[in-house]
Amino acid sequence: QVTNETAALKDVIYDEEENSHMLRSICKRTKNQNDDEAWDARESLRSSLMSLGSYYLELNGLLHANPKYSLIKKANSCFKESLEVVKNLESRMEHERENISSSDSDFKFRQRALLLVKGRANTNIGKASFEEYEFLTRNGKLCTAEGISKLKTAVKYLDNAEIIARILRARAVSDSSSDQDTDLHKVNASDLECLTCRFQGYALLRLAKEGDCIKSAKKSCGIEDDDGDSDDESLTDN
């Protein structure tokens, strides 16, 4: 049954999908430009993709009786595309650096702002990857090995986000002597780290349980682990 809230959200999603499509076209047209138009188009696309991914997850949450895996996949795809846009913006800033003073406060602010949105994109990818795992597990469509793979993906992106949050906080503290607009980024960094650590906790708990399942299966087959820390090492490699 489609509620008014669900119908309204679907309309919002349709509009945001159209907006993202239009912005992709502008980004493609300005691919070889390095001016305000090119920057603004990419920043607008990044913001649109993050919003769209969040809307997909919100819609899936409203479909209590019949949630859809495709919506989680779409959300994750949006967050990953958003991260690629951020990387493109970082590359463009590197080209600007040659002509800008290292003490330029506006440049430093934009660097920190990019760190923040990069961290948020990593967090959302980790969250969506975790939700993929949860959905497939609830519906009995995931074997233990696949579950561990998805959880490791979630942890990898969440680890990235946690590192970025710490870098952002350190950068804001370092820039505070020459830039008055650092307090907000200090708060943003703390909020990002708290949110990220929450989902890290969820994912690591599930990962520990999946590891216990593998150990139980090995034990039932008479197979002994050579190294009790092998699972942790494989996680670190990611």
Side-chain angles (χ1 to χ4, degrees):
Q1 184 179 0
V2 179
T3 64
N4 290 338
E5 185 178 5
T6 302
L9 183 54
K10 285 183 175 180
D11 288 340
V12 171
I13 287 174
Y14 176 81
D15 290 341
E16 200 63 68
E17 286 174 337
E18 291 295 301
N19 186 42
S20 294
H21 180 72
M22 176 196 69
L23 290 168
R24 285 191 191 95
S25 297
I26 298 175
C27 289
K28 185 176 181 179
R29 176 173 59 78
T30 60
K31 180 179 179 180
N32 297 320
Q33 295 177 210
N34 195 22
D35 53 16
D36 288 344
E37 181 187 14
W39 180 279
D40 291 345
R42 281 154 183 78
E43 169 54 26
S44 296
L45 176 59
R46 180 208 63 77
S47 178
S48 177
L49 289 167
M50 289 289 281
S51 296
L52 185 55
S54 297
Y55 292 148
Y56 284 137
L57 292 181
E58 183 180 351
L59 177 59
N60 196 56
L62 292 175
L63 303 176
H64 304 292
N66 188 30
K68 298 185 181 298
Y69 182 59
S70 60
L71 289 173
I72 306 175
K73 293 282 286 183
K74 284 183 177 180
N76 213 348
S77 178
C78 285
F79 297 143
K80 287 178 178 178
E81 185 180 353
S82 175
L83 181 57
E84 290 305 310
V85 174
V86 173
K87 290 178 180 178
N88 181 271
L89 289 172
E90 285 182 323
S91 176
R92 288 170 179 271
M93 281 201 75
E94 284 301 313
H95 289 298
E96 289 184 32
R97 184 192 294 272
E98 301 173 2
N99 303 315
I100 293 180
S101 168
S102 60
S103 62
D104 187 285
S105 60
D106 180 63
F107 186 77
K108 288 183 175 181
F109 179 88
R110 290 165 64 198
Q111 281 184 314
R112 296 195 305 273
L114 276 184
L115 272 176
L116 176 61
V117 295
K118 186 177 184 179
R120 286 173 174 170
N122 273 279
T123 297
N124 282 6
I125 294 169
K127 176 184 175 183
S129 298
F130 178 75
E131 291 198 18
E132 283 186 39
Y133 162 83
E134 290 278 271
F135 179 92
L136 294 173
T137 300
R138 283 196 303 268
N139 289 276
K141 298 179 179 180
L142 204 62
C143 72
T144 300
E146 291 172 329
I148 286 181
S149 177
K150 287 194 175 294
L151 286 171
K152 283 184 176 181
T153 297
V155 170
K156 179 183 74 172
Y157 283 101
L158 292 167
D159 283 348
N160 289 344
E162 183 184 10
I163 291 169
I164 290 168
R166 291 176 179 177
I167 293 173
L168 174 59
R169 184 187 296 107
R171 188 77 60 82
V173 170
S174 173
D175 293 346
S176 60
S177 61
S178 59
D179 188 346
Q180 300 301 312
D181 297 319
T182 57
D183 287 344
L184 179 59
H185 281 148
K186 292 175 188 175
V187 174
N188 291 150
S190 296
D191 289 344
L192 176 62
E193 188 172 9
C194 287
L195 178 63
T196 298
C197 288
R198 177 155 62 99
F199 283 104
Q200 271 180 322
Y202 295 154
L204 289 170
L205 277 174
R206 299 296 194 281
L207 193 57
K209 290 181 179 179
E210 292 285 8
D212 287 342
C213 288
I214 286 183
K215 289 178 182 178
S216 297
K218 285 183 176 181
K219 187 176 181 179
S220 67
C221 296
I223 302 172
E224 295 295 332
D225 284 331
D226 293 331
D227 184 353
D229 294 329
S230 60
D231 288 340
D232 291 337
E233 289 174 0
S234 62
L235 176 62
T236 304
D237 289 341
N238 271 320

